[in-house]
Amino acid sequence: MEGGDGASRAAPAAGSQLLRVPLQGQQDPLRNQTAVVDKAGSTVTYYITSQSNLSAVVLYDSRNGYVCYKALERRACYLRRMEPWDLQTLQTALNASEHSAERLLHRNNQTTFYREFLGIVAAEQVEPRGLGEAVQALCEHTSIFWVRRGHGPGRQRLIYLCIDICFPNNICVSICFYYLPE
């Protein structure tokens, strides 16, 4: 099935809660972000559209222990294992879903901005079986690659793509990907 924006936006399952979180601020004039919280499946999926019209999906799946990134303009998913900070962020989002969307995220001078670098391990394509239903559904008909945290791409490699995401705990992260040498 081709066409559209490449995202399968099926209706959330029972136990899911859809939160619309519009983000505005001086540093990023306009970015739309929507969180789909599925308490039953222990997942939070962020749908992000940046001011440059880049659309991305970031999936936090605590049941299977993965964070999955998919830029809808690219034909690939990027996967890494969850770390303690991811679990804490996921728990904050699951708890925040019980409150109204207006109170979910306040962008103010208390907001902290970070940049995170993830190296794409191009030689290690991942087989979707065994990754859990949420990752399989998001990455259906696309290649999946492992990524690992780095200190930056260095001078010899270029940034491939950046995804900006803000969390309910007033932390915003610009996640930038670059290819690791094979």
Side-chain angles (χ1 to χ4, degrees), residues 91-146:
Q91 198 56 51
T92 303
L94 290 171
N95 293 341
S97 71
E98 295 167 4
H99 305 295
S100 69
E102 293 80 46
R103 294 195 338 235
L104 182 62
L105 183 66
H106 299 289
R107 288 293 300 278
N108 55 34
N109 54 9
Q110 303 295 311
T111 302
T112 308
F113 294 87
Y114 291 103
R115 175 161 280 191
E116 183 175 297
F117 294 98
L118 296 175
I120 301 167
V121 186
E124 294 183 32
Q125 198 163 335
V126 184
E127 192 57 44
R129 278 189 305 275
L131 297 177
E133 287 180 27
V135 172
Q136 286 180 12
L138 176 63
C139 299
E140 194 174 22
H141 306 301
T142 59
S143 301
I144 305 172
F145 298 98
W146 284 112

Side-chain angles (χ1 to χ4, degrees), residues 7 21 50 111 127 147-148 178 180:
V21 185
S50 69
T111 302
E127 192 57 44
V147 292
R148 64 175 178 243
Y178 63 96
L180 291 168

